[in-house]
Amino acid sequence: MEAVLELTKDNIQDVVDASMKQVVVLAFWSQQSPESVALSQTLTGMAHKQAGRFVLAKVDCDKEMEIANYFQIQNVPTTLVLSEGKPVDGFAGLQEEVQIAAMLDKHLPAQWQIQLNEAKNLLALQDAAPALALLKQAYAESPNAEVTLVFADACLMLDDFDSAAELLASIGLADQDSYYQSLKAKLALALDAADSPEIRELQKAVESEPENIAQLLLLAKALHQAKRNEEALAILFTPLSKDISVENGEVKQLFLEILTALGQGNTLANQYRRKLYSLLY
C-alpha cells in the first residue's frame, strides 16, 4: 500500500484491512481550516520520510462527511492511529512534528526492524548487496543478535568471511540458536574451500623463510583471492610495521590494493587503514 493516500468510501475497507498488519494514521482535514491543511502537510512529509513504518490515510471532511461521522469527528484537524481495525491513539488540533513522532513511536516498529525485514526479503531472493546496505544501517541502530545473525548471513553470501566470522563471534551463548549453528557450519565449509593446497604450501614456505618478502607477497595475494583478507592484511602489516617502504614499496602497494578492494565502509579495511596511518604519521 502507498505511504500516503486519500481515504474514500471506495477504499475504506481496504485501509481498515491493511491496519491489521500495519499501523494506519487517519488525518481528518478540511480546506476551510488552515490548521488542518498545515497538519496534513506535516503528516505527509513524515509518512514519506518514514516510508514503511505507517500508512497515512487523509480524509477530506468536505467530501467525506460520512467517514468523519462514522469516526465521530467533531473538529478538524483530528488525527487517529488505527491498529488492527480500531483507533488506539490520536489527538485533536495542531501539533509539532516532534510531538507527533513521540506519539507514533509508541505504536510503530523501530526503523531497524523495518530494515531487517526488508533485508530478509532480499536475501530470500538471493539479492545480498542491497540487503547488506540495509543491515549495516539496522546494525548501527540496534546491534542485537537478530540483526547480527542476518548481517552475518549476508556477508557469507557475498564471500566476506572475515566480517561474517567477526559478527558470529559476537553472538552470546543464549542466542546461539539453530540459525547461528547453520551459519557457523556455512562459514566453516567456506573457509575449508578457501584453504587450497597452494595456500598451504605458501604458508609453509613463509614459515620456513619469514624474511622472504617475495614469498610473503605471493601468500597475501593468494589469501586475498580466497577472501581471507584479515589474514592477508595481518601478514603484510608485520613487515610494514618495521619498514614502510619494504621491498621497494610493493608490500605497501598490495596492502593498499586490498584495502581499496574491501571498500570504504568495510570494518576490517577501516581497522587496518588506521594502523597504516599510525605508521605514516
Side-chain angles (χ1 to χ4, degrees):
M1 185 167 282
E2 296 176 20
V4 180
L5 54 85
E6 298 292 334
L7 190 66
T8 67
K9 292 186 288 292
D10 294 330
N11 65 7
I12 187 169
Q13 191 57 54
D14 292 336
V15 172
V16 171
D17 291 345
S19 76
M20 302 304 291
K21 295 181 180 179
Q22 186 177 19
V23 166
V24 174
V25 175
L26 299 178
F28 294 87
W29 72 287
S30 167
Q31 196 68 48
Q32 312 306 314
S33 165
E35 278 193 348
S36 69
V37 173
L39 180 60
S40 177
Q41 291 172 345
T42 298
L43 289 168
T44 299
M46 293 177 68
H48 286 304
K49 280 192 291 186
Q50 302 187 47
R53 289 190 82 199
F54 68 92
V55 171
L56 175 63
K58 299 195 291 184
V59 184
D60 184 345
C61 294
D62 299 327
K63 299 177 181 177
E64 302 292 343
M65 281 299 297
E66 287 182 43
I67 296 176
N69 290 334
Y70 175 81
F71 284 99
Q72 299 180 341
I73 302 304
Q74 302 297 319
N75 298 293
V76 291
T78 295
T79 305
L80 297 179
V81 178
L82 202 66
S83 179
E84 297 183 354
K86 304 183 296 293
V88 294
D89 209 339
F91 60 88
L94 189 62
Q95 289 198 13
E96 298 296 323
E97 183 171 338
V98 173
Q99 297 170 297
I100 300 169
M103 185 269 291
L104 290 178
D105 281 343
K106 295 185 290 183
H107 307 285
L108 300 179
Q111 193 64 40
W112 68 263
Q113 290 176 309
I114 295 171
Q115 292 163 339
L116 176 63
N117 290 335
E118 287 182 26
K120 285 180 177 178
N121 291 335
L122 288 167
L123 290 180
L125 298 171
Q126 301 295 309
D127 201 359
L132 187 69
L134 287 168
L135 289 163
K136 285 180 178 178
Q137 295 174 42
Y139 185 80
E141 182 182 338
S142 180
N144 60 63
E146 185 181 9
V147 173
T148 303
L149 287 172
V150 181
F151 194 178
D153 201 351
C155 289
L156 281 171
M157 284 191 182
L158 293 167
D159 294 336
D160 185 356
F161 306 139
D162 295 326
S163 295
E166 184 179 343
L167 289 164
L168 290 174
S170 71
I171 298 294
L173 191 61
D175 296 306
Q176 293 180 11
D177 56 11
S178 57
Y179 186 28
Y180 166 85
Q181 298 298 340
S182 71
L183 293 177
K184 286 284 286 184
K186 283 183 187 177
L187 178 61
L189 288 171
L191 291 176
D192 284 344
D195 190 21
S196 66
E198 177 197 4
I199 289 176
R200 288 195 293 271
E201 286 299 319
L202 286 168
Q203 285 173 327
K204 288 178 184 176
V206 170
E207 285 170 11
S208 61
E209 294 183 81
E211 302 303 318
N212 188 330
I213 303 300
Q215 290 277 24
L216 185 142
L217 286 167
L218 289 173
L219 174 58
K221 289 176 183 177
L223 289 168
H224 172 56
Q225 289 172 355
K227 311 294 184 183
R228 294 165 61 177
N229 291 300
E230 187 164 13
E231 292 173 76
L233 290 169
I235 65 168
L236 289 172
F237 188 75
T238 299
L240 279 177
S241 62
K242 298 173 185 174
D243 180 2
I244 195 70
S245 59
V246 63
E247 199 72 6
N248 296 318
E250 286 187 43
V251 175
K252 179 185 171 186
Q253 180 62 33
L254 179 57
F255 190 88
L256 290 171
E257 286 174 0
I258 294 175
L259 293 182
T260 301
L262 290 174
Q264 287 291 331
N266 184 274
T267 303
L268 180 66
N270 291 339
Q271 175 190 338
Y272 273 94
R273 201 172 278 114
R274 286 192 296 270
K275 286 188 174 186
L276 180 63
Y277 290 159
S278 70
L279 298 178
L280 293 172
Y281 306 106

